[in-house]
């Protein structure tokens, strides 16, 4: 899989995290260096699915959005 280079250099566990099929808000929090609120906003901004009570994003969708926009744009309203 093709990972964004800057992401791999910033987070030592990024390659391991990005090998998962689904990403939780905790994974996104580690990748984006942000808190719980921002990580959940990112999850809800992307196509997501609930597994139990946990919203999850497919890694493929996260990487595709990241490559297209260079960042995840969040509406804080």
């Amino acid at each position: 899989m093709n990972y964004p280079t800057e992401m791999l250099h910033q987070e030592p566990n990024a390659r391991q995290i990005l090998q998962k099929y689904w990403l939780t808000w905790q994974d996104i929090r580690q990748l984006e260096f942000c808190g719980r609120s921002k990580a959940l906003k990112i999850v809800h901004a992307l196509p997501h699915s609930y597994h139990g009570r946990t919203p999850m994003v497919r890694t493929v969708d996260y990487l595709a959005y990241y490559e297209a926009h260079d960042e995840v744009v969040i509406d804080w309203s």
Side-chain angles (χ1 to χ4, degrees):
M1 187 173 261
N2 221 357
Y3 303 120
T5 321
E6 64 275 359
M7 192 178 290
L8 295 177
H9 291 300
Q10 291 175 358
E11 173 59 42
N13 297 328
R15 190 177 305 274
Q16 184 179 10
I17 292 170
L18 293 173
Q19 287 179 352
K20 297 178 181 180
Y21 187 78
W22 292 100
L23 297 176
T24 62
W25 66 267
Q26 292 95 335
D27 297 328
I28 291 177
R29 190 179 95 201
Q30 281 187 306
L31 293 172
E32 296 287 334
F33 295 103
C34 62
R36 180 179 184 266
S37 296
K38 187 172 184 181
L40 283 169
K41 284 276 193 185
I42 291 170
V43 168
H44 291 289
L46 299 172
H48 61 281
S49 170
Y50 280 90
H51 297 250
R53 293 193 298 181
T54 306
M56 295 186 170
V57 175
R58 288 185 334 154
T59 305
V60 177
D61 293 336
Y62 174 77
L63 290 174
Y65 190 90
Y66 195 90
E67 283 183 19
H69 298 92
D70 275 341
E71 64 181 351
V72 178
V73 179
I74 299 172
D75 179 22
W76 287 97
S77 56

